[in-house]
Amino acid sequence: MILTVTLNTALDITYRVRALRPHASHRVSDVAERPGGKGVNVARVLAALGHEVTVAGFAGGATGQVLRERLAGVPGVTDALVPCAGPTRRTVAVVDERTGDTTQLNEPGPQIEPAEWGAFLDRYEELLPTASAVALSGSLPPGVPVGAYAGLVRTARAVGVPVLLDTSGEPLRRGVAARPDIIKPNAEELAELTGSHEPSRATQDARRRGAHAVVASLGAQGLLAATPEGRWRATPPARVHGNPTGAGDSAVAGLLSGLVERLSWPERLARAVALSAATVRAPAAGEFDAAVYEDLRARVAVAGVVSVA
């Protein structure tokens, strides 16, 4: 079982409009409503790849109930969410069908009380012994300590469970110091963590700060990985147009499934890039176009990178 942790779950709502114009009314051509939050998206992709996944985090209010009902319909995914009093947030993505661009509106999330946080920690420790790997993904809702991910990394590593951390800002900075097995920042998050806007140098610096492996997402340019086994750049064969929401979460699913399946780093990176690109072609986060994935996986270019001092 792979455990994904989403402390700030969401109900993802996607609107499609013919053309998005500021200060104008729009007729919505299609509405999609799905369980979301970064770790939930990761879980759905992992399940589609054939892995058994357990989802942990918080869910509350009417929105949280809808999220849990939708999650119950996903084969291969087990709900281990902890109830909270505050309502689960919603995220709204508005897709401009003319340009393919997406505008995202993210609510902040519920206030988590100390007793609720304690209940989550108990659930997390109960689940870890049966987990083959853990993904810690996304933002922290109000009330959760800023060092929460650092503590969760240490707890998992204490029982020998590998951890992938995908967050940003101060939670990432503190989490890296706890020595996660993998972090997956995008270029902006990596620069904020290290102070360097040169990805090759920044990935090395992030490793020096504690991460065993760093996989930086460079958008349409693919992934750059710095690992104990070597350094690689994985690039898609062509730019894929569509909705990029959730593409990074699919990359996390590719990396984590590759870790569990004991794939080589080049194989993991090829899978992650192909899944990410295939998600851009899918209608919503947490899904990927299977035909695009199979086509791209064999054509992703993975090359070794010479270290930068």
Side-chain angles (χ1 to χ4, degrees):
M1 177 270 287
I2 298 175
L3 176 61
T4 71
V5 172
T6 313
L7 297 176
N8 211 3
T9 57
L11 185 65
D12 287 345
I13 302 166
T14 303
Y15 294 139
R16 301 186 72 87
V17 299
R18 179 170 296 178
L20 183 61
R21 302 183 305 277
H23 317 298
S25 297
H26 297 79
R27 187 174 298 278
V28 177
S29 61
D30 182 69
V31 180
E33 192 175 77
R34 291 173 174 81
K38 293 179 71 63
V40 174
N41 295 336
V42 173
R44 289 167 59 202
V45 174
L46 285 169
L49 292 171
H51 289 273
E52 294 294 321
V53 191
T54 296
V55 172
F58 295 101
T63 307
Q65 183 59 37
V66 173
L67 182 150
R68 299 186 83 160
E69 290 171 359
R70 296 297 178 90
L71 199 59
V74 182
V77 175
T78 298
D79 176 354
L81 296 168
V82 172
C84 62
T88 295
R89 67 189 178 125
R90 295 161 297 178
T91 67
V92 178
V94 183
V95 180
D96 185 321
E97 294 179 332
R98 180 189 58 185
T99 64
D101 293 336
T102 301
T103 300
Q104 191 87 12
L105 304 173
N106 297 329
E107 295 179 358
Q111 177 74 31
I112 302 301
E113 300 302 327
E116 294 167 341
W117 177 239
F120 168 79
L121 291 176
D122 290 342
R123 178 71 55 84
Y124 182 70
E125 291 181 6
E126 291 170 2
L127 292 168
L128 277 177
T130 58
S132 56
V134 177
L136 306 174
S137 303
S139 60
L140 301 179
V144 172
V146 71
Y149 281 138
L152 298 180
V153 169
R154 293 188 185 100
T155 300
R157 289 185 56 79
V159 294
V161 179
V163 184
L164 187 154
L165 176 61
D166 182 19
T167 189
S168 60
E170 186 65 12
L172 175 59
R173 189 183 70 80
R174 297 196 185 195
V176 166
R179 302 186 63 78
D181 295 86
I182 306 171
I183 63 169
K184 195 217 67 65
N186 61 31
E188 181 180 344
E189 293 161 350
L190 185 62
E192 183 181 6
L193 173 66
T194 64
S196 173
H197 291 272
E198 203 293 302
S200 186
R201 293 183 184 277
T203 53
Q204 289 181 308
D205 185 43
R207 285 200 66 215
R208 285 192 290 268
R209 290 169 185 257
H212 287 263
V214 180
V215 181
S217 175
L218 305 179
Q221 297 178 332
L223 299 174
L224 177 65
T227 82
E229 288 80 26
R231 296 170 53 79
W232 291 273
R233 180 72 176 267
T235 310
R239 187 181 183 92
V240 178
H241 297 280
N243 179 4
T245 305
D249 303 329
S250 291
V252 168
L255 295 170
L256 206 59
S257 61
L259 183 155
V260 169
E261 296 171 28
R262 301 183 183 278
L263 300 182
S264 68
W265 269 106
E267 291 174 307
R268 297 183 206 181
L269 295 169
R271 175 181 287 184
V273 168
L275 280 172
S276 182
T279 297
V280 172
R281 292 290 297 273
E287 299 179 359
F288 61 92
D289 186 308
V292 172
Y293 167 61
E294 292 298 337
D295 173 60
L296 291 179
R297 187 178 176 188
R299 299 195 294 124
V300 172
V302 182
V305 175
V306 177
S307 295
V308 176

